[in-house]
Amino acid sequence: MTSVQQAPRYTPLRERHEALGAAFTDFGGWQMPVRYTSDLAEHHAVREAAGLFDISHMAEFEITGAGAATYLDYALAGRLSALAEGKAKYSLLLTERGGIVDDVIVYRLQEDAFLIISNAGNRDAVRAALTERATGFDVTVADVSDDYALLAVQGPRAEEIASAVEGITEVSIPWAEQKYYAWASARYHGEPLFIARTGYTGEDGFELLVRSADAPALWDAVLAAGEPHGIVPAGLAARDTLRLEAGMPLYGHELSLETAPAQAGLGRVVVADKASFVGKDAPALAADARMLIGLAAEGRRAGRAGYPVVIDDGTIVGEITSGALSPTLGHPIAMAFVDPAVSDGATPLFLDVRGTRIPAVVTDLPFYRRKK
């Protein structure tokens, strides 16, 4: 049997990326810009000024109906019924056995209306799970991913830049008063614009959800507003080192169907005392289940995803899930799942970098925390 290979997908900003000289990479079936100039330059721009990311490959779902809040309490790990209108919350979509289908951000739009943004590569799985779990609830689940584009302005100058974008009007909450993990409404040349003060870089910033047709003009307008402030377009490579420094998990690396939230340090996300939710009856975590830790090393050689973590006699006690030479900190950092017996830092650990042992110490996450 011949398999049918799906054509790669592009966001509405493809022409903008090509005009900027972006290199592309496959990400969940999407051709996404991985860099425009250099990974380091884009990373440092976000830490020191601002970067503009195209994250239109992310998936969006609208949950509406009188039973929406009750339904989300059942469908997700958190207590979304307690989320105030105008606020956002990080949550998890679990399997019956407690594995992670995806990590998502939920925005409460109105009393009976929510927006969920999930990872691009898990769109089908999230849609299937949300739809299946809606049975018996007075709720409608709508996949609106193809209707919108999503831009992220991230960095210490993000507020100055976003507030100066030409064409954005009717902002419901003044830019400076918008809170972290909250959202505001606005218009972009008369069309609806959703503004969320969220992000995936460890910096201040805004995510702008706009109609797909309006995305190219908004992209141009943000770059124009940000030019005096040092904004640069930034690709997935910079986004990955930024989120690693910020200690944020990435699905497929730190999170998976086989990973329990507690293993990944996300036990707090699960509200176990809810009456019922998918994953509530998951088996208890095995005593020998590997735990996610942060590791920091000296020198310039970084461990990468899949590299072993070993102890002095060479015994493998874990595996790196994400690793890089931190552009901001100047030394190697990594997240890794390790045996619980060595997760407290009392046992000397080493990154096995292609046969060379690099001493590493257990470090609290995040590796980097922005100054407020």
Side-chain angles (χ1 to χ4, degrees):
M1 180 180 291
T2 302
S3 62
V4 178
Q5 190 168 7
Q6 290 188 328
R9 301 189 66 183
Y10 290 88
T11 77
L13 295 165
R14 176 182 181 177
E15 291 184 359
R16 296 300 192 273
H17 302 322
E18 290 177 340
L20 289 165
F24 288 82
T25 188
D26 177 81
F27 191 91
W30 292 80
Q31 285 296 303
M32 298 300 296
V34 65
R35 69 183 62 81
Y36 300 84
T37 54
S38 84
D39 303 351
L40 281 178
E42 293 165 21
H43 181 109
H44 288 308
V46 175
R47 287 279 181 255
E48 296 165 7
L52 177 60
F53 298 85
D54 177 12
I55 52 173
S56 302
H57 58 316
M58 304 285 282
E60 292 86 27
F61 301 89
E62 290 179 348
I63 313 297
T64 55
T70 305
Y71 157 74
L72 288 177
D73 281 352
Y74 170 75
L76 299 178
R79 195 187 304 279
L80 285 310
S81 60
L83 184 63
E85 291 181 39
K87 301 296 185 183
K89 193 175 187 64
Y90 178 84
S91 195
L92 297 169
L93 190 68
L94 302 177
T95 68
E96 292 282 357
R97 293 187 56 79
I100 299 172
V101 178
D102 203 6
D103 61 333
V104 301
I105 296 181
V106 184
Y107 303 85
R108 191 162 198 167
L109 308 179
Q110 300 173 13
E111 175 66 19
D112 297 332
F114 296 79
L115 173 70
I116 295 177
I117 297 184
S118 76
N119 287 296
N122 289 335
R123 175 180 172 180
D124 291 347
V126 171
R127 179 177 57 237
L130 290 177
T131 302
E132 180 184 355
R133 295 171 192 190
T135 302
F137 290 92
D138 182 7
V139 69
T140 299
V141 177
D143 183 345
V144 295
S145 308
D146 294 334
D147 297 339
Y148 296 102
L150 190 58
L151 281 59
V153 189
Q154 298 283 299
R157 311 294 296 273
E159 183 184 306
E160 296 170 82
I161 294 167
S163 62
V165 174
E166 186 177 348
I168 296 181
T169 59
E170 301 179 44
V171 181
S172 64
I173 301 171
W175 292 95
E177 297 177 18
Q178 294 178 30
K179 303 297 185 184
Y180 192 53
Y181 263 71
W183 64 271
S185 64
R187 294 275 175 181
Y188 179 62
H189 288 302
E191 299 297 333
L193 175 67
F194 180 87
I195 302 168
R197 199 156 200 167
T198 47
Y200 195 53
T201 63
E203 293 296 337
D204 186 21
F206 300 89
E207 295 180 319
L208 308 174
L209 189 69
V210 66
R211 294 190 322 164
S212 295
D214 298 325
L218 181 57
W219 173 272
D220 294 343
V222 174
L223 286 181
E227 185 175 4
H229 302 285
I231 197 172
V232 302
L236 291 183
R239 194 165 183 250
D240 193 50
T241 49
L242 290 159
R243 72 91 193 166
L244 173 58
E245 289 181 345
M248 296 179 175
L250 176 64
Y251 200 90
H253 288 248
E254 285 74 41
L255 309 179
S256 74
L257 290 170
E258 309 305 320
T259 307
Q263 288 181 264
L266 297 175
R268 69 188 185 284
V269 179
V270 182
V271 181
D273 65 353
K274 290 190 297 182
S276 176
F277 65 96
V278 178
K280 182 178 177 64
D281 298 324
L285 200 63
D288 61 350
R290 286 184 167 176
M291 309 299 288
L292 187 70
I293 61 169
L295 290 167
E298 300 292 330
R300 309 292 290 177
R301 299 192 66 182
R304 305 293 181 182
Y307 286 13
V309 178
V310 302
I311 58 176
D312 190 51
D313 66 1
T315 301
I316 295 175
V317 294
E319 181 176 301
I320 293 172
T321 52
S322 299
L325 176 62
S326 166
T328 304
L329 304 174
H331 60 75
I333 57 174
M335 289 195 281
F337 278 106
V338 300
D339 295 339
V342 301
S343 64
D344 62 1
T347 303
L349 298 177
F350 303 84
L351 312 179
D352 186 336
V353 181
R354 296 180 177 178
T356 300
R357 291 183 195 173
I358 309 294
V361 296
V362 177
T363 304
D364 290 339
L365 296 173
F367 300 102
Y368 164 85
R369 196 183 298 275
R370 70 183 171 93
K371 297 178 182 177
K372 298 182 179 179

